[in-house]
Amino acid sequence: MIHDLQAITAEPDRWRYLSAQTEARDCSPLQCYVERRLNGEKGAEWLDGQSIEQAVRTTEMLGGLLAYGPSQKAKDMTDDMWDTAGRAAWPLVTKGDAELRELLSRALLKAVRMNGHPSPRNSFGMLYGWLFSSRLSKDPGPIRDIVREVIIENVPLVPGQMLLGTPVATPRLASIAAIAGAEGLHSKTLRNVLELAGVLDGTQPLKGARNVVADYALAKPLIERAKHTTPVMQVPDMLSASRPMVSALIELGKLTRIQDHDALKSKVGKAIDGRSIRQVLCFLQESFEAVKHPPEGHVHLAKAAEKTRVTMKVILELLFGLHLKTVCRLKGHHGFSGVLVSPDEVRACMANPPDNVSDEIRFWMG
């Protein structure tokens, strides 16, 4: 048989005897293809890009799966069965890798384990055993990459997991437990965030974190936010700001929630992204001069809002828009506790609004 070419070369007398005892059969399409390849001719394009050994082995392993199902073991195959396998897979391999990917994907999704995840071992049978064998010393050809890509596309994996000799840096699918472990998050926290974002279906019956699967690509940006979760109650102290000031900063988009969602259902969703807190503090430090003594007429933001009878949101919009040119901050003061503005400058901006300000400023009726 074709898959025993090396053995034929090594034991010619034995194979001559066996051939004399074996009933003749028509040359299979795979055998005819090999003969043409040995004569320097071309045939099926996808197979032509492989060595003869790769092409034959791939065709027979695929045929074994097609003809006898995933429970059939290669070691139990007879010569007649290998011949049948080669014939069974020939129409598939001549069509190229697109048809092959589709067939493997369908086979994979048919074999679902008790946890609801597809099982490559139960789906691919002897093909799996061949490609995943620790004794596989020769390059099996492009079939390995195809099987790997089909598995990545359909099976939940662990970030960094070795798959057919190559680590999977970012799986397309992964369980909540696997993602949480790789990203250093608690699985319950991660699940709450993903449900709020709609990445997980919160209406489905609850399952363990090991069984709930998420699209890693969709989850990744949310994971980065979850890593920087800061409870809203802590933000005033971190910025040395009042609660109304924090609310105004959220409304202006200077502070961002972990989830900007219409129906925030958890403390996680309402929490603030710590990176936006650091950005606000950096803005204050880099944008305004630090002084030892407050300039004449300059007051804290809350006092300025009181004197000018405008909202804290308006003061902050002018501040972050850099429309107030004389803003300063007191040395030794943290965050907003040291920021000083001139009420007269605020009034001037309200009387003659700068470009690109909100309607609240442009149509102020003070």
Side-chain angles (χ1 to χ4, degrees):
M1 301 304 293
I2 296 175
H3 66 283
D4 286 319
L5 284 174
Q6 290 181 326
I8 293 174
T9 305
E11 303 178 74
D13 293 337
R14 174 173 175 267
W15 285 98
R16 288 192 191 96
Y17 170 77
L18 290 175
S19 64
Q21 305 300 315
T22 303
E23 182 179 349
R25 62 164 60 93
D26 293 337
C27 180
S28 72
L30 180 58
Q31 290 171 318
C32 293
Y33 169 77
V34 171
E35 290 180 6
R36 290 195 298 271
R37 279 286 298 270
L38 291 172
N39 291 327
E41 300 176 25
K42 296 293 184 181
E45 182 178 355
W46 185 66
L47 294 179
D48 287 345
Q50 307 173 46
S51 70
I52 293 178
E53 186 175 359
Q54 289 172 340
V56 169
R57 198 64 171 163
T58 295
T59 303
E60 290 184 332
M61 286 295 178
L62 286 168
L65 175 62
L66 289 172
Y68 301 107
S71 60
Q72 178 65 48
K73 292 180 170 51
K75 66 182 181 63
D76 297 329
M77 294 279 283
T78 65
D79 288 345
D80 285 341
M81 293 172 74
W82 282 120
D83 181 72
T84 299
R87 295 173 188 269
W90 182 252
L92 176 66
V93 296
T94 56
K95 293 178 181 177
D97 62 341
E99 293 281 342
L100 181 53
R101 290 173 193 273
E102 184 177 346
L103 178 137
L104 292 175
S105 295
R106 289 199 305 268
L108 186 58
L109 296 177
K110 285 181 181 178
V112 178
R113 294 177 292 200
M114 291 183 64
N115 62 5
H117 301 171
S119 169
R121 182 187 298 275
N122 295 339
S123 303
F124 298 151
M126 67 174 68
L127 178 65
Y128 178 96
W130 172 46
L131 294 176
F132 283 82
S133 173
S134 59
R135 294 176 293 179
L136 182 64
S137 58
K138 296 182 179 180
D139 179 8
I143 185 64
R144 175 162 53 190
D145 289 338
I146 291 174
V147 169
R148 186 176 188 275
E149 290 163 9
V150 168
I151 292 175
I152 290 175
E153 184 67 21
N154 295 283
V155 179
L157 302 170
V158 177
Q161 177 177 340
M162 292 297 295
L163 180 62
L164 289 174
T166 306
V168 181
T170 305
R172 194 186 82 78
L173 300 173
S175 70
I176 296 299
I179 297 175
E183 299 289 349
L185 290 172
H186 192 285
S187 58
K188 186 175 181 180
T189 298
L190 177 59
R191 179 168 183 157
N192 286 341
V193 171
L194 298 182
E195 282 185 355
L196 285 170
V199 176
L200 295 181
D201 186 353
T203 65
Q204 294 298 315
L206 293 177
K207 296 192 292 185
R210 294 186 180 278
N211 296 337
V212 178
V213 175
D215 187 315
Y216 207 125
L218 294 177
K220 188 66 176 176
L222 305 174
I223 291 169
E224 291 305 312
R225 287 190 175 190
K227 285 181 177 179
H228 300 277
T229 299
T230 303
V232 176
M233 296 296 292
Q234 296 180 12
V235 178
D237 288 339
M238 296 177 71
L239 292 176
S240 296
S242 64
R243 290 186 181 181
M245 191 180 295
V246 169
S247 297
L249 289 168
I250 293 173
E251 192 174 348
L252 288 169
K254 302 305 176 183
L255 293 177
T256 55
R257 294 189 186 277
I258 291 298
Q259 285 304 323
D260 296 321
H261 201 274
D262 292 337
L264 296 174
K265 301 175 184 177
S266 73
K267 293 179 181 179
V268 174
K270 295 177 183 178
I272 301 299
D273 188 332
R275 291 170 296 184
S276 65
I277 297 174
R278 290 192 291 274
Q279 288 170 359
V280 167
L281 291 172
C282 287
F283 173 82
L284 297 179
Q285 185 174 358
E286 295 173 1
S287 301
F288 308 121
E289 181 184 0
V291 298
K292 289 184 178 180
H293 305 288
E296 185 177 354
H298 279 59
V299 296
H300 291 95
L301 300 187
K303 191 65 175 178
E306 179 185 335
K307 283 179 170 288
T308 58
R309 296 186 178 182
V310 299
T311 64
M312 178 57 70
K313 179 184 173 184
V314 165
I315 298 284
L316 290 170
E317 181 181 347
L318 293 173
L319 182 78
F320 280 89
L322 298 176
H323 300 303
L324 304 175
K325 306 303 181 183
T326 64
V327 180
C328 60
R329 55 188 178 85
L330 291 174
K331 285 185 177 180
H333 287 68
H334 175 72
F336 286 97
S337 67
V339 177
L340 303 173
V341 299
S342 166
D344 290 338
E345 190 175 19
V346 173
R347 292 190 188 97
C349 282
M350 301 304 291
N352 186 20
D355 295 334
N356 302 319
V357 294
S358 66
D359 288 347
E360 184 175 355
I361 295 176
R362 290 195 299 119
F363 301 114
W364 180 62
M365 301 296 291

